[in-house]
Amino acid sequence: MDIDYIVAHIPMFGKAAFLTISLALAGILLSLLIGLACALVRYFRVPLLHRLIAAYIELSRNTPLMIQLFFLYYGLTRVGIMLEGVTCAIVGLAFLGGGYMAEAIRSGLDAVGRVQIESGLSIGLSRLQLIRYVVLPQAMAVAVPAIAANTIFLIKETSVFSIIALPDLMYVAKDLMKEGNSNESNFMLVVSYLVLILPVSLFFTRLERRMRRAGLGH
Amino acid sequence: MAQHVLEIRNLHKSFGEREVIHGLDLDVRKGEVVVVIGPSGCGKSTLLRCINGLEPIQQGEIFLNGKSITSGKIKWNLVRQQIGMVFQSYDLFPHMNVMENILLGPLKAQGRRREEVEAEAEALLARVGLLDRKDSFPSQLSGGQKQRVAIVRALCMKPEMMLFDEVTASLDPEMVREVLDVILGLADEGMTMMIVTHEMAFAKAVADRVIFMDGGVVVESARPEVFFETPQTERARKFLNTFQFREVRHCLDEDDEDCLP
Amino acid sequence: MLDSVTSIFLSGRNMSRLLEGLWVTLEISIISVLLSMFLGIIVGLMMTSKNRLLLAGTRVYLEIIRVMPILVLLFLFYYSLSKIWGINLSAMSVAILVFTLWGTAEMADLVRGAVTSMPRHQRESGRAIGLTESQINRYIIIPQAVRRLVPGVINLTTRMIKTTPFVFFINVPDLVKVGQQIVEITGMRNVMASFWVYGLIFLIYFIICYPISRFSLYLERKWES
């Protein structure tokens, strides 16, 4: 392996990694928001809307991100909806992640016992106060492991963004391979993803451990 | 006429097809302690839950301080602020410490001032002997301690009356007493209470009136000494007998003085 | 509109090519799942052993697979390792190899979870009624472990199916690759090609994955109660 070649291309990978992590961050934050909204709609069985949301969740969880992106980027332009690469990537990731996060948060909501809700009611909290102070904090604590798994899954899924012409890590690596340096570029690819994902993985492991010690979650 | 805090008229409650309370009437005077006993499934817990609006009722009316809480548009969160309830299972919020648990209702639901409520909470905690645990989390407390905090949490709302739903049923035997003592103390102070319990000795000690429910109706209603000594109905006698044991073991030795004929 | 649809799917061998692509997709998934189940049980049992070396080794393997995107693994095996080891694997073999490596790790973790979450008193109460160790395994431990495993295995299967589009990147002629080729060819004449073809592929994935995930949910609920 050619060390000089690797060193020379660090800035290039750095830039690509920055793009990957920015897109992932935006997509994951949106996923959490969508997931929270959907989970609450499902939890309260908001008429009509909760069926619609159920359909969305099934659709997003049972189709691959790559196909969603192909359809968004290449398919929808044909019916007049033009999304540029970055928008498309974030929308796609949020569409996929929203469904996964919704399920994670919903299982957290379901885990909050009936007695908790009743005792919240019995001290005179309103519905909204009950959700905010009693149900959500406990539900989110229970959902942490699933949210963690989804987050890491979504970061890994970003690796397909090059199919919609975004210069992310895979894109750069593929470019270098064309020059015939597949070992070096693969090495940098592996290192880049380790640098991106390992800290996230460690962060969540710690968070889960702290939650468990506090007697929250399962 | 004594003032009634709670009046229940012709209450009907069913779960689906099954009716569990059939036309129940009950009045509770201010300061009265009513203990509700009866076999499991007789509807006694359901009765408490109906009073607190945790179960919708099918027919009848409930009045709190003369105002109906069952007809018209009811703001249940406001009604529940006047009725404190403590449940069988430990119902503290696990993500909040003891003080936060107690403050949540008064601060958020009633919008009272923090300093005022905090001082009250500390006084109440001191009374149940848990002031030193105010920063503990529920997972660090014993079952008996949790129930005492749950009682304080309900009291801090300054309720008109308190409902206790088998609050000692999941406790280890040695912790039952510390919780019951708190309730006895409340009775001495004149708190209006409805208590569902299986602790017969406690019922005898705390009650102004005992209500025996069976099959969704009030079968007997009497002063405790009357009810426990001379139950009027066969059903009540049978129920009370389930708490008696014949002492057979000593009788193997015929000279034993403890041996009763 | 109907014209544009029929002109894509009924012209030439387009439809049968899509079906061939679908078969490649399913082939990779099925073979990988079967291999993963077999190897995963072995590795999973290794993870419950008390041998520290074995534990550390399997742990590292699991973590690496967890952290690495499947796409990176595909690149690694397709472009680099075959060169370094001097073996020339077909794209299809690399796909199955990588999916099996991933599936084995996931399966092993499921097996480890199923075995270690078994309450100890299950084994003890088996002993208490006089069963031999192998009888305990056969009548008490394995049936319960299987119940805990099956939903996870089904879930893993749908995840594999949903990950197969990645093989597009190493030029395996799967559903997506075939779809893209059809879009490239018919797209010249028919501007709606990408909409219909990718829309259909989207639908195909859903039609395959949705019933499987419902089935897994059904089993979970049935066995929970």
Side-chain angles (χ1 to χ4, degrees), chain A residues 92-174:
Chain A
L93 198 62
F95 177 84
L96 176 80
Y100 280 86
M101 292 301 187
E103 284 296 274
I105 296 172
R106 195 168 78 105
S107 67
L109 287 171
D110 286 343
V112 178
R114 209 181 56 154
V115 174
Q116 284 291 315
I117 291 166
E118 291 184 344
S119 55
L121 288 175
S122 76
I123 56 168
L125 296 180
S126 68
R127 282 251 162 234
L128 223 60
Q129 289 171 329
L130 183 73
I131 293 301
R132 173 152 168 226
Y133 298 112
V134 177
V135 179
L136 265 187
Q138 295 184 55
M140 292 310 265
V142 174
V144 162
I147 290 175
N150 288 345
T151 301
I152 288 167
F153 163 70
L154 290 173
I155 298 177
K156 286 159 71 177
E157 284 286 297
T158 60
S159 61
V160 301
F161 283 163
S162 62
I163 56 155
I164 53 172
L166 287 175
D168 74 336
L169 283 168
M170 297 305 295
Y171 189 97
V172 170
K174 219 160 52 176

Side-chain angles (χ1 to χ4, degrees), chain A residues 116 120 123 125 129-138 214-216, chain B residues 91-105 108 133-141 149 153:
Chain A
Q116 284 291 315
I123 56 168
L125 296 180
Q129 289 171 329
L130 183 73
I131 293 301
R132 173 152 168 226
Y133 298 112
V134 177
V135 179
L136 265 187
Q138 295 184 55
L216 290 169
Chain B
D91 56 342
L92 297 182
F93 307 125
H95 59 299
M96 299 178 177
N97 68 24
V98 166
M99 190 47 103
E100 290 165 341
N101 259 284
I102 298 169
L103 294 185
L104 182 64
K108 302 300 174 191
R133 306 308 300 267
K134 69 178 175 163
D135 297 320
S136 304
F137 279 87
S139 55
Q140 300 162 319
L141 301 180
V149 173
R153 187 176 66 181

Side-chain angles (χ1 to χ4, degrees), chain B residues 1-20:
Chain B
M1 200 184 99
Q3 194 200 347
H4 288 150
V5 175
L6 185 77
E7 292 165 75
I8 300 174
R9 293 283 170 273
N10 191 31
L11 176 69
H12 286 263
K13 164 73 197 167
S14 22
F15 292 108
E17 296 285 284
R18 202 167 52 89
E19 193 171 77
V20 290

